[in-house]
């Protein structure tokens, strides 16, 4: 049963990577076959860095960064190493997103096109700001060794939620950007005449939605989480009781269905229940 | 501490309702103050039903349908009643979404504008189809009394995931639709000149993102779930052991942090762990 589940995870991961690579390739086909290619001279070739870098960095690399803890062959690596990889991939994604924004501002300024007027630009800029904040806070709280355990436990659900929400928002913003670009760029034949470029880029948009959905599915399955590690021992608040060890051993047996933090709060909750029960029994 | 958490939930619910109502009002201001109002005669007034009905039905009512199980004052109502309300609200949302699509097709046909060429239309149609499928499957599996318990347990995580993913996709599609409409409708001054209408509708888009984020936060907090009810008794597979009752009573004590289905599988898992432990002890 466990091998079957492992196979299912691998199949899903392979599909996700395939859809992600295909998206990057389609963005390159769009830019090189139908548009002006890539350059850095204030021309449309500079603008074209925007979709390519957003899809490569802000969608594909961010997506991989989100599920990097789920890869079963990394479970023997230390949690710290995995945190560095998670933070590193997100840093690369952030840099690419910022460079891709610079490309658009540069292009707009060279052509006297106003900046920041569209809903795409408003939500996109907000997404980059929140993403940077998330990265900074994640670094300060979960990677640096200074934050106390109760703060990490309290912030982890918020970190997960805001990470996934920002990721979804980035994909939504990419879809708006595709819509804008196709309307502006396609004249004679127009977007509404469905030329091959329109069909190709619509398919790119669909792939982005599928990629996002697959990442969110893999990230939200509790039984695909990295199993609780030894640091659960450090985190466990009530260490003196023999029941503590019992609870932990059952956690390790139940395996792979809780992250260390969630597993830990779960253990604490179970212990509290046990204490409650004990209390009730003694008053009975 | 429980009252504090209840207060936090109410504050968040009030903010969500406020943002949702504001979105509906802004869509009406857009249509009546800046556009051609509402009519059903193949004119732009008919098109305008599209944003109004999507925001009212497919975003606002769908959002409320998603969190209806979380409202603490409904926890004394039967689960069946709540399922009817959940299904009923989603049915209303589906009908409004379909009517709003008919309005666009009608308008396009009256003006000889091609249908289904844009990414907005592709993803939007897919969202309506998946939403209808989700509603149909949810009705057949969770509302009708025929599906066996193990099927309900297996499908519940998929139902939750696809519901939330479709909801997020609907909001992304609305943002694309807003982008399209502002580019097409605003000429002299153009969208890029940021006339008041552009600013108002950009703000509407931001409100939709905030509304969606709030709904997803409320829906994904485990401790805000409807507490497990008596039907946990029916669902509980190993009913004969005295440990079964003990596990259930601890579940009810721990309260409000598991849905009945999740709570149930959790209880089964705990029991299995207990049995495993017992087995290990006997071989020791």
């Amino acid at each position: 049963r466990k091998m079957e589940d492992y196979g299912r995870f691998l199949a899903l991961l392979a599909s996700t990577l395939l859809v992600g690579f295909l998206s990057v390739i389609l963005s390159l086909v769009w830019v090189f076959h139908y548009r002006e290619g890539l350059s850095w001279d204030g021309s449309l070739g500079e603008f074209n860095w925007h979709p390519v870098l957003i899809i490569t960095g802000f969608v594909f690399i961010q997506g991989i960064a989100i599920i990097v803890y789920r890869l079963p062959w990394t479970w023997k690596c230390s949690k710290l190493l995995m945190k560095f990889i998670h933070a590193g991939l997100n840093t690369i994604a952030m840099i690419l997103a910022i460079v891709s924004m610079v490309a658009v501002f540069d292009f707009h300024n060279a052509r006297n096109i106003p900046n920041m007027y569209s809903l795409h630009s408003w939500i996109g800029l907000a997404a980059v700001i929140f993403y940077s904040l998330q990265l900074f806070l994640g670094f300060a709280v979960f990677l640096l060794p200074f934050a106390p355990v109760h703060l990490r436990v309290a912030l982890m659900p918020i970190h997960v939620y805001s990470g996934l929400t920002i990721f979804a928002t980035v994909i939504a913003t990419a879809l708006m950007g595709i819509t804008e670009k196709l309307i502006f760029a396609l004249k004679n034949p127009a977007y509404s005449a469905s030329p091959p470029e329109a069909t190709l880029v619509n398919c790119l948009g669909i792939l982005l939605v599928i990629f996002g959905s697959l990442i969110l599915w893999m990230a939200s399955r509790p039984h695909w989480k990295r199993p609780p590690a030894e640091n659960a021992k450090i985190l466990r608040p009530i260490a003196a009781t023999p029941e503590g060890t019992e609870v932990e051993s059952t956690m390790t047996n139940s395996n792979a269905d809780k992250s260390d933090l969630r597993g830990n709060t779960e253990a604490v909750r179970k212990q509290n229940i046990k204490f409650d029960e004990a209390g009730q029994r003694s008053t009975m």
Side-chain angles (χ1 to χ4, degrees), chain A residues 75 221-228 250-251 253-259 262-263:
Chain A
W75 290 347
R221 290 317 90 196
H223 56 283
W224 283 343
K225 280 189 178 168
R226 184 183 162 98
T250 62
M251 274 171 56
N253 287 345
S254 79
N255 210 337
D257 66 350
K258 305 273 166 195
S259 83
R262 264 192 61 196

Side-chain angles (χ1 to χ4, degrees), chain A residues 141-179:
Chain A
V141 172
F142 300 110
L143 199 50
L144 296 183
F146 308 122
V149 168
H150 67 86
L151 188 70
R152 293 176 181 222
V153 171
L155 287 186
M156 182 46 89
I158 298 172
H159 181 77
V160 170
Y161 163 81
S162 54
L164 297 182
T165 306
I166 292 168
F167 178 65
T169 306
V170 165
I171 291 182
T173 311
L175 301 179
M176 278 190 279
I178 285 174
T179 299

